[in-house]
Amino acid sequence: MQIAARDHRPSASHGVLFYYVHNCMNAKKGASMSFAQHETESEVYQALGHPIRLQLLDFLIEGPRCTCEIEPAFDVDQSTISRHLIILKKAGLVKSHREGVRVIYELSDDRIQAIRELIQGMIRDQAREAVRVLRGR
């Protein structure tokens, strides 16, 4: 009986940045690293692709928060909040640290909010244009 060789590709638990570095280091010499870059970027966009995760980012804009503060602010169960925080953390959008028994979450980079503001501005502009077209102007 043969045992299959273990796939050395990092799992999602390693996080997006680790996966990106792994892909870049293992790319064939002279090969474009574009796919690894696109794959990493896609992981971040996927993490942004849920309303609860966007609400969590909004909640963390005000500064670091303990899970004991986050969970009561949302009308979903604790396991749902935890799952979404893990996705955001793996994508590199939030970071956490322990203070005794408390787990504190915060945005990993101020540019996250700037990116979201750009997207929100684009959506507002598109909505204004749609209203203008509907009104026949």
Side-chain angles (χ1 to χ4, degrees):
M1 179 168 116
Q2 285 189 338
I3 298 174
R6 183 166 182 232
D7 181 11
H8 291 289
R9 180 178 174 202
S11 69
S13 65
H14 286 100
V16 172
L17 182 60
F18 182 86
Y19 185 64
Y20 174 74
V21 171
H22 172 78
N23 281 343
C24 292
M25 290 177 66
N26 291 305
K28 293 180 181 168
K29 191 172 185 174
S32 169
M33 287 193 251
S34 177
F35 183 78
Q37 292 168 337
H38 288 123
E39 194 166 31
T40 302
E41 187 177 2
S42 174
E43 292 290 326
V44 172
Y45 291 138
Q46 287 176 21
L48 291 170
H50 195 282
I52 290 176
R53 293 193 286 270
L54 293 174
Q55 290 174 329
L56 284 165
L57 292 174
D58 286 343
F59 194 73
L60 294 173
I61 285 169
E62 297 173 19
R65 299 289 186 101
C66 172
T67 52
C68 62
E69 297 172 275
I70 297 170
E71 292 164 5
F74 290 83
D75 193 26
V76 294
D77 60 280
Q78 178 270 333
S79 64
T80 300
I81 294 296
S82 293
R83 183 170 39 90
H84 287 296
L85 285 169
I86 288 167
I87 291 168
L88 290 169
K89 188 174 178 180
K90 286 180 182 174
L93 298 171
V94 301
K95 58 186 177 181
S96 67
H97 66 275
R98 287 196 173 274
E99 290 181 4
V101 296
R102 298 168 25 137
V103 179
I104 310 296
Y105 283 89
E106 63 185 302
L107 294 180
S108 62
D109 192 313
D110 292 337
R111 292 176 290 183
I112 294 165
Q113 185 53 26
I115 292 166
R116 293 203 49 227
E117 288 171 1
L118 285 170
I119 293 169
Q120 291 164 354
M122 183 183 74
I123 292 168
R124 279 191 302 274
D125 292 348
Q126 290 174 348
R128 282 190 208 110
E129 179 63 15
V131 167
R132 188 189 67 73
V133 167
L134 289 172
R135 288 184 177 162
R137 295 184 188 182

